[in-house]
Amino acid sequence: MQIRKATKSDKKPVLDFCQSPYSGIDYIANVWDFWLRDGVFLAMERKGKPIGVCHASFSKNQVWVEGLRINPKFRQRGYGSSLVLKTEQIAKMKNYKISRMIISNGNKKSIKLAKSLGYKIEDKWYLYNIKPKRKQSLVIPATNSKQIENLIDSDTYSKSWKWFAFDKPAISELIKKRKILVFAHNKKSLAVGIWNDSEIDNDVLQVGYLNGTKAGMKNILYYIQNKGYEQNSKRIQILAQQKVKLNMKDLDKRMLFCLMKKDL
Ligand SMILES: CC(C)(COP(=O)(O)OP(=O)(O)OC[C@H]1O[C@@H](n2cnc3c(N)ncnc32)[C@H](O)[C@@H]1OP(=O)(O)O)[C@@H](O)C(=O)NCCC(=O)NCCS
């Protein structure tokens, strides 16, 4: 058994044993070539064949662990854990301090695996879908972090299925890119939302943080629906913390996810 870098020729044998834990076709097929160039992409090899993979991407002080897959024939022998531990070891050598991953709330074996390696559930996030639609909204892009500071109730926000620290530099950068939306009434901010274009799926718009009053959040979603309509998006995904209670007729509540965190 050997852990080495994943290669182009691992793709077919790995995809042959991969089934998406969520929806059939595994998304790692679409990101494979990108992962070969980005971050650290590891494979576990047995008798010359890849039997597992794991990808890590790095940002500021965080390693993001994703795409962990072990061939069903070789599960429960500690290989999945070894790949994660090797990834963490590389991250530690590079001086990264935090490891995070996202796991579907129903994927109990992965949650158990993560917990057995010292990860804790940091937060739970719901995925909702909503359709693009022509809508009117009173939302504006934030221009100053003061406008939103009372509405940030999370250490992280999501972008393309990764979660990042929601700290001051991140907020400034998001404001600069006009990715933070505010709904205000009588000069008081009542809701905030962060959006992005998905890097994984073309034609998908995402909301990676949402908080505030019901009316305010509704307005933010109207803005995004309208944006999706204007740029011809196929779908809009919304990721909101479990504690944010979203009740909107058009919203389709899909899945609950656990954001897992470990200090390295
Ligand atoms: C999740 C997955 C990577 C685990 O790989 P693995 O090599 O079997 O994991 P390990 O042998 O290292 O297991 C480590 C721990 O995870 C838990 N675990 C793994 N498989 C389990 C199962 N079938 N039932 C219960 N717990 C399980 C156990 O706590 C286990 O420790 P233990 O054997 O000491 O009890 C593998 O099942 C897989 O590829 N699943 C499909 C893809 C997927 O869900 N990926 C994760 C998406 S976030």
Side-chain angles (χ1 to χ4, degrees):
M1 210 65 52
Q2 180 206 353
I3 294 178
R4 55 158 174 81
K5 277 188 177 171
T7 64
K8 212 174 155 90
S9 60
D10 290 332
K11 186 173 178 177
K12 186 170 178 329
V14 170
L15 290 177
D16 282 348
F17 67 71
C18 279
Q19 254 191 336
S20 166
Y22 311 123
S23 62
I25 299 167
D26 199 316
Y27 80 96
I28 72 169
N30 302 331
V31 290
W32 190 281
D33 297 341
F34 174 65
W35 280 0
L36 289 175
R37 304 188 301 269
D38 169 78
V40 170
F41 193 14
L42 297 178
M44 177 160 287
E45 184 180 296
R46 183 182 183 269
K47 296 188 178 166
K49 285 193 182 139
I51 58 147
V53 285
C54 180
H55 181 260
S57 61
F58 300 90
S59 61
K60 237 175 352 190
N61 65 346
Q62 166 180 292
V63 53
W64 179 259
V65 180
E66 60 193 347
L68 178 64
R69 303 286 185 271
I70 297 291
N71 184 331
K73 285 187 200 150
F74 300 104
R75 285 185 187 167
Q76 286 192 276
R77 302 184 192 188
Y79 298 155
S81 307
S82 302
L83 275 171
V84 175
L85 287 173
K86 181 74 192 172
T87 305
E88 288 176 6
Q89 197 190 337
I90 294 169
K92 274 194 261 190
M93 266 159 41
K94 293 174 184 252
N95 229 357
Y96 290 90
K97 302 289 184 210
I98 294 172
S99 177
R100 283 193 172 99
M101 54 174 100
I102 192 85
I103 304 178
S104 153
N105 192 55
N107 192 346
K108 298 299 178 203
K109 29 185 187 176
S110 295
I111 293 175
K112 218 170 152 198
L113 181 152
K115 283 186 173 169
S116 77
L117 297 178
Y119 287 78
K120 300 235 157 61
I121 299 178
E122 184 176 13
D123 221 333
K124 290 199 178 187
W125 292 72
Y126 269 115
L127 167 68
Y128 300 83
N129 283 347
I130 196 167
K131 292 208 169 71
K133 221 178 204 175
R134 183 172 277 299
K135 290 272 189 188
Q136 304 274 331
S137 160
L138 300 167
V139 157
I140 49 157
T143 49
N144 187 320
S145 59
K146 289 227 161 29
Q147 286 171 290
I148 57 158
E149 59 193 12
N150 294 337
L151 291 162
I152 305 297
D153 186 18
S154 172
D155 289 338
T156 59
Y157 71 99
S158 152
K159 181 173 183 255
S160 287
W161 289 98
K162 292 189 182 88
W163 272 251
F164 297 101
F166 210 175
D167 52 13
K168 279 190 178 148
I171 291 172
S172 304
E173 194 59 30
L174 287 162
I175 288 177
K176 231 192 271 167
K177 292 183 174 160
R178 298 171 70 84
K179 298 294 189 204
I180 303 192
L181 305 170
V182 203
F183 174 80
H185 188 65
N186 291 337
K187 296 201 173 150
K188 190 169 186 298
S189 299
L190 298 180
V192 61
I194 294 186
W195 70 277
N196 67 279
D197 291 300
S198 169
E199 287 160 8
I200 300 173
D201 301 302
N202 289 332
D203 314 324
V204 175
L205 263 184
Q206 290 174 330
V207 173
Y209 184 73
L210 193 59
N211 197 21
T213 62
K214 290 228 164 7
M217 290 194 290
K218 237 181 204 183
N219 263 275
I220 291 192
L221 294 182
Y222 289 162
Y223 180 99
I224 295 294
Q225 280 186 288
N226 198 59
K227 188 160 208 60
Y229 176 85
E230 281 176 353
Q231 61 183 59
N232 232 346
S233 308
K234 275 204 199 96
R235 286 183 294 135
I236 299 166
Q237 297 178 329
I238 298 152
L239 285 150
Q241 289 161 290
Q242 189 181 29
K243 63 190 170 205
V244 175
K245 305 270 183 260
L246 281 179
N247 283 322
M248 241 173 102
K249 156 165 118 330
D250 292 356
L251 271 184
D252 174 18
K253 195 191 239 184
R254 298 304 293 268
M255 279 172 83
L256 184 60
F257 291 88
C258 297
L259 177 64
M260 313 289 302
K261 179 185 174 192
K262 176 176 175 179
D263 293 320
L264 296 178

